[in-house]
Amino acid sequence: MTRRATLRGPERTSLDGESADVLVCGASFAGLAVARELAGSGADVLLVDRYQVGERATSACAAPRPWLEVMGVAGSIRQEIPCMSFHTPHGSVRYRLPWSWAAFDYRELCQRLFDQTDARFEIATVVGRREGGVLTDRGLLRAPLVVDALGWRRVLAGEPNQPPHAPLSRGLEVHPDGGGRDLDVWIERSLVRYGYGWSVPAGGEQRVGVGSYEPRDHVRRPTVELAARLARDPVRYQGNWFPHRLRRAAQDGVFFAGDSAGHCFPLSGEGIRTAFYFGIACGRELRSVLSGERAKEEALRRYARFSASHSRAFGLALRLQWLVPRLPPRLLTFALRVLGRQALVDHAFGWYLDQAHPAFIGADRSAATPRREMPLYAAATSGSHDASAGVGLSEARAPS
């Protein structure tokens, strides 16, 4: 059960009038990545969230292992998952990836990220923008540089972003005791019409869930059904909405990162490494402003261009998101089997990792670097399928 660690009673003192050089709203993947990138800048960074750091996980908490390594949070990994299995009503196919997924402990990962920052942290619920500042339930906060990493609600945009009209998918999962070796994916219309089910093994825990690209379709019944199929109890629920379309990454003087900017990959619904990736890019632009290298307005434009430069890849994934659930099941099964050849698996999943590559963290790049100059994942051509093959992690690892 989620423990909602909020402040109550005498602990809930006023923050009205509090100021900082940078105000980061949201202390999950994107917000922590921004704050981490600002470490050592000498700036006063204030990080605020409705919950304590590491509380209220809303995802299956799995990401490419190379990303967790370069972010310095490999110690939070509960299980490495080198293979994916896809299931349809007409068969299954198993892929050995050119890199590995890793299921992690959300609380430990967030704490490890926070430990790498110089930020102050306060528990406060962000309400919106007022009088040139950010209004919270503990008062008005002010900073010349503000980041919205609050998730799909896009609170500081001042515009409605509510389902079912917003470009959002919905997901729900349960966390029974269990295990497994693969990241399993079910594409079955009888389970969910437009979407997929999943099972993520996490070192004694099995994270079983269902995601729907259609926000009007409920996901509780199919989640319970999938858990029953796997002989698991539907316990310890968690879920959330997640975006499937890029949104403006800079608006009205505010930087948006993570789900608030639509930085969640369509089709797969993966948003953790993209939150890291765009959070780092956002932090680099903020550092350039703090150092006097460029004006805030220029940094906003550069960051917006960087986010928008990923439109082609996100657009392709969005078209696949529309197409895959509509393919005849037998044709889909055939296509999955054809793609099961190792060279095609390496190419496809190498391209997928390229869209937010872990080498970005160790590169001396700003958010404005053109996409064509970004490092590409070198698919394993030697027959080796080590998780770090071709990534160049020796140069990109986070300092210990």
Side-chain angles (χ1 to χ4, degrees), residues 296-318:
K296 172 184 172 180
E297 292 71 21
E298 183 185 357
L300 285 162
R301 287 193 298 269
R302 288 162 57 92
Y303 176 61
R305 285 198 303 268
F306 176 76
S307 178
S309 72
H310 296 72
S311 297
R312 183 175 181 180
F314 275 67
L316 173 60
L318 185 60

Side-chain angles (χ1 to χ4, degrees), residues 325-379:
R326 292 168 173 82
L327 285 175
R330 290 187 185 278
L331 178 59
L332 174 61
T333 306
F334 175 76
L336 288 170
R337 286 174 175 160
V338 169
L339 289 172
R341 290 189 295 172
Q342 194 59 56
L344 293 178
V345 171
D346 289 346
H347 180 77
F349 282 88
W351 176 88
Y352 181 69
L353 189 65
D354 281 346
Q355 308 317 307
H357 194 281
F360 182 69
I361 191 174
D364 185 17
R365 293 177 175 84
S366 71
T369 302
R371 288 278 296 149
R372 63 181 178 274
E373 297 177 13
M374 303 281 283
L376 294 180
Y377 185 90

Side-chain angles (χ1 to χ4, degrees), residues 47-119:
L47 185 66
V48 298
D49 195 279
R50 181 179 179 183
Y51 300 101
Q52 185 58 267
V53 173
E55 300 296 333
R56 202 173 181 270
T58 58
S59 79
C61 292
R65 182 182 179 110
W67 262 105
L68 302 185
E69 291 177 344
V70 299
M71 293 295 285
V73 294
S76 66
I77 294 174
R78 296 183 64 169
Q79 182 170 338
E80 183 170 357
I81 312 168
C83 297
M84 292 185 71
S85 291
F86 293 87
H87 311 281
T88 77
H90 300 287
S92 299
V93 60
R94 186 171 188 252
Y95 296 165
R96 178 64 166 89
L97 305 187
W99 43 268
S100 292
W101 292 102
F104 58 86
D105 180 273
Y106 177 74
R107 184 177 301 172
E108 184 174 355
L109 179 139
C110 289
Q111 189 58 56
R112 286 174 178 266
L113 284 176
F114 182 68
D115 289 345
Q116 297 176 55
T117 77
D118 299 332

Side-chain angles (χ1 to χ4, degrees), residues 8-69:
R8 299 180 183 277
E11 292 182 308
R12 201 162 186 77
T13 56
S14 174
L15 293 176
D16 196 49
E18 189 77 21
S19 63
D21 297 323
V22 183
L23 175 60
V24 181
C25 303
S28 191
F29 305 116
L32 288 169
V34 172
R36 179 184 182 279
E37 192 66 21
L38 293 173
S41 67
D44 178 17
V45 179
L46 177 57
L47 185 66
V48 298
D49 195 279
R50 181 179 179 183
Y51 300 101
Q52 185 58 267
V53 173
E55 300 296 333
R56 202 173 181 270
T58 58
S59 79
C61 292
R65 182 182 179 110
W67 262 105
L68 302 185
E69 291 177 344

Side-chain angles (χ1 to χ4, degrees), residues 66-314:
W67 262 105
L68 302 185
E69 291 177 344
V70 299
M71 293 295 285
V73 294
S76 66
I77 294 174
R78 296 183 64 169
Q79 182 170 338
E80 183 170 357
I81 312 168
C83 297
M84 292 185 71
S85 291
F86 293 87
H87 311 281
T88 77
H90 300 287
S92 299
V93 60
R94 186 171 188 252
Y95 296 165
R96 178 64 166 89
L97 305 187
W99 43 268
S100 292
W101 292 102
F104 58 86
D105 180 273
Y106 177 74
R107 184 177 301 172
E108 184 174 355
L109 179 139
C110 289
Q111 189 58 56
R112 286 174 178 266
L113 284 176
F114 182 68
D115 289 345
Q116 297 176 55
T117 77
D118 299 332
R120 296 183 287 139
F121 176 75
E122 292 286 352
I123 294 177
T125 300
V126 175
V127 178
R129 301 175 68 188
R130 299 286 190 282
E131 302 171 7
V134 173
L135 182 64
T136 76
D137 62 346
R138 294 179 63 190
L140 190 68
L141 310 178
R142 297 184 183 277
L145 299 170
V146 177
V147 178
D148 182 331
L150 292 164
W152 63 268
R153 288 183 177 84
R154 201 173 163 84
V155 175
L156 299 183
E159 59 189 20
N161 189 50
Q162 295 293 323
H165 306 293
L168 298 169
S169 301
R170 66 191 308 176
L172 180 70
E173 66 181 15
V174 292
H175 287 198
D177 295 337
R181 60 174 183 169
D182 295 351
L183 195 165
D184 289 288
V185 177
W186 287 266
I187 309 173
E188 301 179 15
R189 293 176 188 170
S190 61
L191 184 68
V192 55
R193 183 176 53 158
Y194 303 117
Y196 60 97
W198 66 83
S199 174
V200 179
E205 181 178 73
Q206 193 165 349
R207 300 165 181 174
V208 179
V210 169
S212 172
Y213 307 134
E214 170 49 66
R216 296 172 181 82
D217 291 348
H218 295 284
V219 290
R220 184 183 180 95
R221 179 199 59 76
T223 299
V224 173
E225 179 184 324
L226 182 56
R229 185 188 303 183
L230 300 174
R232 302 300 183 205
D233 294 328
V235 295
R236 296 188 288 275
Y237 284 84
Q238 68 178 37
N240 205 356
W241 303 92
F242 52 96
H244 54 241
R245 185 172 298 166
L246 286 176
R247 299 178 67 88
R248 294 170 65 183
Q251 183 176 347
D252 298 331
V254 175
F255 296 81
F256 293 83
D259 283 2
S260 69
H263 294 150
C264 185
F265 216 67
L267 184 64
S268 66
E270 186 202 358
I272 297 170
R273 70 176 167 121
T274 46
F276 290 160
Y277 176 77
F278 287 101
I280 290 166
C282 179
R284 289 175 180 172
E285 289 302 322
L286 293 170
R287 284 188 78 108
S288 73
V289 177
L290 293 167
S291 68
E293 180 183 347
R294 60 182 58 94
K296 172 184 172 180
E297 292 71 21
E298 183 185 357
L300 285 162
R301 287 193 298 269
R302 288 162 57 92
Y303 176 61
R305 285 198 303 268
F306 176 76
S307 178
S309 72
H310 296 72
S311 297
R312 183 175 181 180
F314 275 67

